[in-house]
PDB file of all heavy atoms in Angstrom:
ATOM      1  N   PRO A 685      74.950  81.829  58.553  1.00 93.00           N
ATOM      2  CA  PRO A 685      74.277  81.166  59.663  1.00 93.00           C
ATOM      3  C   PRO A 685      75.122  79.984  60.132  1.00 93.00           C
ATOM      4  O   PRO A 685      75.815  79.359  59.320  1.00 93.00           O
ATOM      5  CB  PRO A 685      72.959  80.675  59.061  1.00 93.00           C
ATOM      6  CG  PRO A 685      72.763  81.491  57.833  1.00 93.00           C
ATOM      7  CD  PRO A 685      74.128  81.869  57.339  1.00 93.00           C
ATOM      8  N   ASN A 686      75.084  79.711  61.427  1.00 94.00           N
ATOM      9  CA  ASN A 686      75.750  78.536  61.991  1.00 94.00           C
ATOM     10  C   ASN A 686      77.275  78.667  62.093  1.00 94.00           C
ATOM     11  O   ASN A 686      77.953  77.703  62.445  1.00 94.00           O
ATOM     12  CB  ASN A 686      75.408  77.290  61.162  1.00 94.00           C
ATOM     13  CG  ASN A 686      75.042  76.119  62.055  1.00 94.00           C
ATOM     14  OD1 ASN A 686      74.477  76.327  63.114  1.00 94.00           O
ATOM     15  ND2 ASN A 686      75.368  74.920  61.634  1.00 94.00           N
ATOM     16  N   ALA A 687      77.818  79.842  61.767  1.00 96.00           N
ATOM     17  CA  ALA A 687      79.277  79.986  61.771  1.00 96.00           C
ATOM     18  C   ALA A 687      79.840  80.020  63.192  1.00 96.00           C
ATOM     19  O   ALA A 687      81.032  79.790  63.399  1.00 96.00           O
ATOM     20  CB  ALA A 687      79.668  81.262  61.030  1.00 96.00           C
ATOM     21  N   GLY A 688      78.983  80.356  64.157  1.00 96.00           N
ATOM     22  CA  GLY A 688      79.445  80.388  65.551  1.00 96.00           C
ATOM     23  C   GLY A 688      79.474  81.785  66.154  1.00 96.00           C
ATOM     24  O   GLY A 688      80.120  82.014  67.172  1.00 96.00           O
ATOM     25  N   LYS A 689      78.739  82.721  65.559  1.00 96.00           N
ATOM     26  CA  LYS A 689      78.741  84.113  66.047  1.00 96.00           C
ATOM     27  C   LYS A 689      78.189  84.197  67.473  1.00 96.00           C
ATOM     28  O   LYS A 689      78.766  84.850  68.346  1.00 96.00           O
ATOM     29  CB  LYS A 689      77.913  84.999  65.107  1.00 96.00           C
ATOM     30  CG  LYS A 689      78.406  84.986  63.673  1.00 96.00           C
ATOM     31  CD  LYS A 689      77.515  85.776  62.736  1.00 96.00           C
ATOM     32  CE  LYS A 689      76.131  85.185  62.546  1.00 96.00           C
ATOM     33  NZ  LYS A 689      76.096  83.829  61.955  1.00 96.00           N
ATOM     34  N   SER A 690      77.057  83.522  67.684  1.00 96.00           N
ATOM     35  CA  SER A 690      76.437  83.595  69.022  1.00 96.00           C
ATOM     36  C   SER A 690      77.316  82.900  70.051  1.00 96.00           C
ATOM     37  O   SER A 690      77.389  83.325  71.202  1.00 96.00           O
ATOM     38  CB  SER A 690      75.054  82.942  69.001  1.00 96.00           C
ATOM     39  OG  SER A 690      74.245  83.600  68.062  1.00 96.00           O
ATOM     40  N   THR A 691      77.984  81.832  69.621  1.00 96.00           N
ATOM     41  CA  THR A 691      78.881  81.139  70.560  1.00 96.00           C
ATOM     42  C   THR A 691      79.989  82.105  70.974  1.00 96.00           C
ATOM     43  O   THR A 691      80.333  82.198  72.151  1.00 96.00           O
ATOM     44  CB  THR A 691      79.492  79.877  69.897  1.00 96.00           C
ATOM     45  OG1 THR A 691      78.439  79.135  69.287  1.00 96.00           O
ATOM     46  CG2 THR A 691      80.206  79.021  70.909  1.00 96.00           C
ATOM     47  N   ALA A 704      72.530  76.952  68.570  1.00 89.00           N
ATOM     48  CA  ALA A 704      72.067  75.618  68.164  1.00 89.00           C
ATOM     49  C   ALA A 704      72.676  75.250  66.833  1.00 89.00           C
ATOM     50  O   ALA A 704      73.130  76.123  66.074  1.00 89.00           O
ATOM     51  CB  ALA A 704      70.549  75.601  68.061  1.00 89.00           C
ATOM     52  N   ASP A 705      72.645  73.963  66.562  1.00 90.00           N
ATOM     53  CA  ASP A 705      73.305  73.445  65.381  1.00 90.00           C
ATOM     54  C   ASP A 705      72.391  73.499  64.157  1.00 90.00           C
ATOM     55  O   ASP A 705      72.208  72.510  63.473  1.00 90.00           O
ATOM     56  CB  ASP A 705      73.751  72.005  65.662  1.00 90.00           C
ATOM     57  CG  ASP A 705      74.759  71.555  64.622  1.00 90.00           C
ATOM     58  OD1 ASP A 705      75.239  72.430  63.866  1.00 90.00           O
ATOM     59  OD2 ASP A 705      75.051  70.352  64.555  1.00 90.00           O
ATOM     60  N   PRO A 707      70.840  76.591  61.050  1.00 85.00           N
ATOM     61  CA  PRO A 707      70.964  77.992  60.641  1.00 85.00           C
ATOM     62  C   PRO A 707      69.811  78.854  61.163  1.00 85.00           C
ATOM     63  O   PRO A 707      68.742  78.330  61.462  1.00 85.00           O
ATOM     64  CB  PRO A 707      70.932  77.931  59.120  1.00 85.00           C
ATOM     65  CG  PRO A 707      70.520  76.564  58.754  1.00 85.00           C
ATOM     66  CD  PRO A 707      70.583  75.683  59.948  1.00 85.00           C
ATOM     67  N   PHE A 708      70.054  80.141  61.236  1.00 84.00           N
ATOM     68  CA  PHE A 708      69.054  81.135  61.674  1.00 84.00           C
ATOM     69  C   PHE A 708      68.562  80.888  63.093  1.00 84.00           C
ATOM     70  O   PHE A 708      67.376  81.038  63.386  1.00 84.00           O
ATOM     71  CB  PHE A 708      67.867  81.192  60.699  1.00 84.00           C
ATOM     72  CG  PHE A 708      68.280  81.531  59.305  1.00 84.00           C
ATOM     73  CD1 PHE A 708      68.064  80.652  58.259  1.00 84.00           C
ATOM     74  CD2 PHE A 708      68.912  82.737  59.033  1.00 84.00           C
ATOM     75  CE1 PHE A 708      68.468  80.953  56.972  1.00 84.00           C
ATOM     76  CE2 PHE A 708      69.320  83.056  57.747  1.00 84.00           C
ATOM     77  CZ  PHE A 708      69.098  82.156  56.715  1.00 84.00           C
ATOM     78  N   THR A 709      69.462  80.507  63.951  1.00 86.00           N
ATOM     79  CA  THR A 709      69.092  80.379  65.366  1.00 86.00           C
ATOM     80  C   THR A 709      68.833  81.766  65.925  1.00 86.00           C
ATOM     81  O   THR A 709      67.877  81.991  66.659  1.00 86.00           O
ATOM     82  CB  THR A 709      70.253  79.729  66.165  1.00 86.00           C
ATOM     83  OG1 THR A 709      70.718  78.612  65.436  1.00 86.00           O
ATOM     84  CG2 THR A 709      69.813  79.325  67.541  1.00 86.00           C
ATOM     85  N   THR A 710      69.711  82.693  65.570  1.00 86.00           N
ATOM     86  CA  THR A 710      69.542  84.069  66.049  1.00 86.00           C
ATOM     87  C   THR A 710      68.622  84.797  65.071  1.00 86.00           C
ATOM     88  O   THR A 710      68.909  84.839  63.877  1.00 86.00           O
ATOM     89  CB  THR A 710      70.921  84.770  66.118  1.00 86.00           C
ATOM     90  OG1 THR A 710      71.787  83.943  66.879  1.00 86.00           O
ATOM     91  CG2 THR A 710      70.826  86.135  66.753  1.00 86.00           C
ATOM     92  N   GLY A 732      72.468  85.466  60.971  1.00 89.00           N
ATOM     93  CA  GLY A 732      73.264  84.991  59.840  1.00 89.00           C
ATOM     94  C   GLY A 732      72.817  85.569  58.496  1.00 89.00           C
ATOM     95  O   GLY A 732      71.633  85.748  58.235  1.00 89.00           O
ATOM     96  N   ASN A 796      86.573  80.052  62.493  1.00 97.00           N
ATOM     97  CA  ASN A 796      86.077  79.353  63.690  1.00 97.00           C
ATOM     98  C   ASN A 796      85.955  77.847  63.421  1.00 97.00           C
ATOM     99  O   ASN A 796      85.988  77.396  62.278  1.00 97.00           O
ATOM    100  CB  ASN A 796      84.721  79.947  64.090  1.00 97.00           C
ATOM    101  CG  ASN A 796      84.234  79.417  65.427  1.00 97.00           C
ATOM    102  OD1 ASN A 796      85.032  79.086  66.311  1.00 97.00           O
ATOM    103  ND2 ASN A 796      82.925  79.306  65.589  1.00 97.00           N
ATOM    104  N   LYS A 797      85.826  77.102  64.490  1.00 97.00           N
ATOM    105  CA  LYS A 797      85.640  75.642  64.491  1.00 97.00           C
ATOM    106  C   LYS A 797      86.916  74.911  64.028  1.00 97.00           C
ATOM    107  O   LYS A 797      86.841  73.917  63.302  1.00 97.00           O
ATOM    108  CB  LYS A 797      84.438  75.211  63.621  1.00 97.00           C
ATOM    109  CG  LYS A 797      83.119  75.915  63.985  1.00 97.00           C
ATOM    110  CD  LYS A 797      81.906  75.196  63.456  1.00 97.00           C
ATOM    111  CE  LYS A 797      80.647  76.015  63.668  1.00 97.00           C
ATOM    112  NZ  LYS A 797      79.415  75.393  63.198  1.00 97.00           N
ATOM    113  N   ASP A 799      88.681  73.146  65.731  1.00 95.00           N
ATOM    114  CA  ASP A 799      88.775  71.817  66.370  1.00 95.00           C
ATOM    115  C   ASP A 799      88.262  70.714  65.460  1.00 95.00           C
ATOM    116  O   ASP A 799      88.662  69.553  65.603  1.00 95.00           O
ATOM    117  CB  ASP A 799      87.973  71.808  67.693  1.00 95.00           C
ATOM    118  CG  ASP A 799      86.540  72.271  67.518  1.00 95.00           C
ATOM    119  OD1 ASP A 799      86.339  73.336  66.884  1.00 95.00           O
ATOM    120  OD2 ASP A 799      85.609  71.577  67.971  1.00 95.00           O
ATOM    121  N   ILE A 800      87.379  71.061  64.506  1.00 96.00           N
ATOM    122  CA  ILE A 800      86.848  70.009  63.626  1.00 96.00           C
ATOM    123  C   ILE A 800      87.189  70.274  62.148  1.00 96.00           C
ATOM    124  O   ILE A 800      86.631  69.656  61.250  1.00 96.00           O
ATOM    125  CB  ILE A 800      85.315  69.832  63.804  1.00 96.00           C
ATOM    126  CG1 ILE A 800      84.581  71.182  63.701  1.00 96.00           C
ATOM    127  CG2 ILE A 800      84.973  69.148  65.124  1.00 96.00           C
ATOM    128  CD1 ILE A 800      83.074  71.047  63.584  1.00 96.00           C
ATOM    129  N   SER A 824      88.593  78.234  68.207  1.00 96.00           N
ATOM    130  CA  SER A 824      87.461  77.341  68.389  1.00 96.00           C
ATOM    131  C   SER A 824      86.671  77.939  69.528  1.00 96.00           C
ATOM    132  O   SER A 824      87.137  77.971  70.670  1.00 96.00           O
ATOM    133  CB  SER A 824      87.924  75.935  68.749  1.00 96.00           C
ATOM    134  OG  SER A 824      86.792  75.233  69.237  1.00 96.00           O
ATOM    135  N   ALA A 825      85.497  78.470  69.195  1.00 96.00           N
ATOM    136  CA  ALA A 825      84.713  79.181  70.211  1.00 96.00           C
ATOM    137  C   ALA A 825      84.221  78.232  71.287  1.00 96.00           C
ATOM    138  O   ALA A 825      84.009  78.627  72.423  1.00 96.00           O
ATOM    139  CB  ALA A 825      83.532  79.890  69.553  1.00 96.00           C
ATOM    140  N   THR A 826      84.064  76.941  70.940  1.00 94.00           N
ATOM    141  CA  THR A 826      83.514  76.015  71.939  1.00 94.00           C
ATOM    142  C   THR A 826      84.576  75.420  72.856  1.00 94.00           C
ATOM    143  O   THR A 826      84.280  75.113  73.996  1.00 94.00           O
ATOM    144  CB  THR A 826      82.743  74.851  71.280  1.00 94.00           C
ATOM    145  OG1 THR A 826      83.487  74.383  70.179  1.00 94.00           O
ATOM    146  CG2 THR A 826      81.362  75.256  70.848  1.00 94.00           C
TER     147      THR A 826
HETATM  148  N1  GTP B 703      82.921  72.098  66.946  1.00 96.48           N
HETATM  149  C1  GTP B 703      82.628  73.363  67.096  1.00 96.48           C
HETATM  150  N2  GTP B 703      81.365  73.767  67.065  1.00 96.48           N
HETATM  151  C2  GTP B 703      81.099  75.082  67.224  1.00 96.48           C
HETATM  152  C3  GTP B 703      82.127  76.041  67.401  1.00 96.48           C
HETATM  153  N3  GTP B 703      81.568  77.245  67.515  1.00 96.48           N
HETATM  154  C4  GTP B 703      80.239  77.052  67.423  1.00 96.48           C
HETATM  155  N4  GTP B 703      79.950  75.759  67.244  1.00 96.48           N
HETATM  156  C5  GTP B 703      78.628  75.138  67.091  1.00 96.48           C
HETATM  157  O1  GTP B 703      78.065  75.588  65.872  1.00 96.48           O
HETATM  158  C6  GTP B 703      76.646  75.680  66.001  1.00 96.48           C
HETATM  159  C7  GTP B 703      76.196  77.053  65.592  1.00 96.48           C
HETATM  160  O2  GTP B 703      76.677  77.988  66.522  1.00 96.48           O
HETATM  161  P1  GTP B 703      75.953  79.397  66.743  1.00 96.48           P
HETATM  162  O3  GTP B 703      76.822  80.168  67.682  1.00 96.48           O
HETATM  163  O4  GTP B 703      74.518  79.213  67.111  1.00 96.48           O
HETATM  164  O5  GTP B 703      76.061  79.972  65.273  1.00 96.48           O
HETATM  165  P2  GTP B 703      75.541  81.376  64.705  1.00 96.48           P
HETATM  166  O6  GTP B 703      76.594  81.893  63.792  1.00 96.48           O
HETATM  167  O7  GTP B 703      75.147  82.254  65.839  1.00 96.48           O
HETATM  168  O8  GTP B 703      74.284  80.906  63.876  1.00 96.48           O
HETATM  169  P3  GTP B 703      72.982  81.767  63.461  1.00 96.48           P
HETATM  170  O9  GTP B 703      72.397  82.332  64.698  1.00 96.48           O
HETATM  171  O10 GTP B 703      72.108  80.769  62.836  1.00 96.48           O
HETATM  172  O11 GTP B 703      73.445  82.793  62.504  1.00 96.48           O
HETATM  173  C8  GTP B 703      76.334  75.342  67.465  1.00 96.48           C
HETATM  174  O12 GTP B 703      75.955  73.989  67.523  1.00 96.48           O
HETATM  175  C9  GTP B 703      77.664  75.553  68.167  1.00 96.48           C
HETATM  176  O13 GTP B 703      77.801  74.758  69.318  1.00 96.48           O
HETATM  177  C10 GTP B 703      83.480  75.581  67.436  1.00 96.48           C
HETATM  178  O14 GTP B 703      84.441  76.307  67.578  1.00 96.48           O
HETATM  179  N5  GTP B 703      83.658  74.232  67.253  1.00 96.48           N
END
Side-chain angles (χ1 to χ4, degrees):
N686 226 33
K689 302 175 293 299
S690 301
T691 311
D705 195 12
F708 302 118
T709 314
T710 307
N796 188 31
K797 306 198 188 181
D799 53 311
I800 51 168
S824 165
T826 43

